[in-house]
């Protein structure tokens, strides 16, 4: 199913937007294809702000709020665990974030809200466009003369034959999308940071 057909099915009420993860929502809202972006905005709400500094300022009060680590663990499971591990829970698409407890709360906040500020090479996202116009993005985890394998959120793996590939490109962006603020309130951010920094 192409992205456009899926979004159209959601507009027509045949598929619930609830099936989309946070990462999928954010990626749809920031797609370069204007038609897809417009449909996603119609279904999911506003676009993702490109001014990450302004978003970080809006979320700065989270650093002063008391956080609940139990609620933070729930936010981690809902928003982060598809790609990150912490304390043995979650998936290992992105880096294990168990050790972020040693970072300042402010540094964690900026890492979450501006993931493209510093992308480690091993977490560079790759995008494949197939000859039948499907688009896939993920970490390039295996490559042979005949195929390429991408790993996506939730540890989903897709192996695509090179004969099906129209375009393969590395992105300068992190696989972690900008726009988590679409799904996490300031209080939830306080809870999440408290959880990540707790022993």
């Amino acid at each position: 199913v192409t992205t456009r057909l899926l979004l159209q099915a959601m507009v027509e009420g045949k598929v619930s937007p609830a099936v989309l993860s946070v990462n999928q929502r954010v990626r749809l809202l920031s797609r370069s294809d204007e038609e897809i972006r417009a449909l996603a905005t119609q279904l999911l709400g506003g676009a993702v702000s490109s001014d990450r500094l302004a978003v970080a300022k809006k979320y700065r009060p989270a650093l002063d709020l008391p956080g609940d680590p139990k609620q933070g663990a729930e936010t981690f499971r809902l928003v982060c665990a598809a790609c990150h591990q912490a304390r043995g829970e979650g998936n290992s698409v992105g880096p294990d974030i168990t050790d972020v407890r040693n970072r300042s709360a402010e540094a964690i906040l900026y890492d979450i809200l501006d993931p493209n500020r510093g992308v480690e090479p091993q977490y560079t996202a790759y995008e494949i466009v197939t000859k039948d116009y499907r688009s896939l993005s993920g970490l390039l985890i295996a490559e042979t003369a005949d195929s390429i394998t991408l790993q996506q959120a939730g540890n989903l793996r897709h192996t695509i034959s090179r004969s099906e590939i129209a375009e393969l490109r590395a992105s300068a962006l992190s696989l972690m999308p900008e726009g988590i603020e679409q799904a996490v309130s300031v209080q939830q951010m306080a809870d999440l940071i408290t959880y990540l920094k707790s022993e």
Side-chain angles (χ1 to χ4, degrees):
V1 178
T2 68
T3 302
R4 195 175 279 101
L5 287 174
L6 177 61
L7 289 173
Q8 197 56 52
M10 289 179 182
V11 168
E12 293 167 7
K14 296 175 184 172
V15 177
S16 169
V19 303
L20 296 171
S21 70
V22 171
N23 284 354
Q24 289 168 326
R25 287 169 179 256
V26 169
R27 288 209 184 278
L28 286 169
L29 289 165
S30 55
R31 285 287 287 268
S32 58
D33 183 306
E34 286 183 33
E35 185 184 347
I36 288 177
R37 198 170 61 244
L39 278 171
T41 301
Q42 176 187 339
L43 283 163
L44 307 172
V48 174
S49 170
S50 60
D51 187 347
R52 305 318 295 164
L53 191 57
V55 172
K57 281 183 181 174
K58 179 184 169 190
Y59 274 76
R60 208 165 191 309
L63 301 175
D64 300 319
L65 291 173
D68 179 341
K70 286 185 180 174
Q71 290 299 318
E74 185 59 29
T75 299
F76 172 82
R77 280 190 281 278
L78 290 172
V79 178
C80 312
C83 292
H84 294 283
Q85 280 195 335
R87 302 179 185 107
E89 184 177 0
N91 294 294
S92 57
V93 179
D96 186 319
I97 54 177
T98 301
D99 65 351
V100 299
R101 66 170 65 107
N102 301 320
R103 290 174 61 75
S104 72
E106 187 171 16
I108 295 170
L109 178 71
Y110 279 88
D111 286 348
I112 292 169
L113 294 173
D114 192 4
N116 295 314
R117 209 166 33 134
V119 183
E120 296 177 42
Q122 68 267 38
Y123 297 112
T124 297
Y126 281 79
E127 185 170 358
I128 289 175
V129 178
T130 64
K131 290 176 180 174
D132 61 354
Y133 305 106
R134 288 179 297 135
S135 177
L136 299 162
S137 62
L139 295 180
L140 198 157
I141 58 166
E143 188 174 7
T144 69
D146 300 317
S147 66
I148 286 176
T149 301
L150 294 182
Q151 184 170 344
Q152 297 177 311
N155 275 343
L156 294 175
R157 294 183 180 199
H158 295 279
T159 300
I160 303 101
S161 167
R162 285 188 184 271
S163 64
E164 295 178 54
I165 296 173
E167 189 177 349
L168 168 67
R169 59 180 175 261
S171 170
L173 303 178
S174 166
L175 192 59
M176 179 176 167
E178 294 177 342
I180 196 171
E181 68 275 7
Q182 298 280 0
V184 176
S185 68
V186 173
Q187 182 60 60
Q188 286 174 313
M189 183 67 74
D191 296 339
L192 177 61
I193 291 171
T194 301
Y195 165 69
L196 292 174
K197 286 191 65 64
S198 64
E199 292 297 327

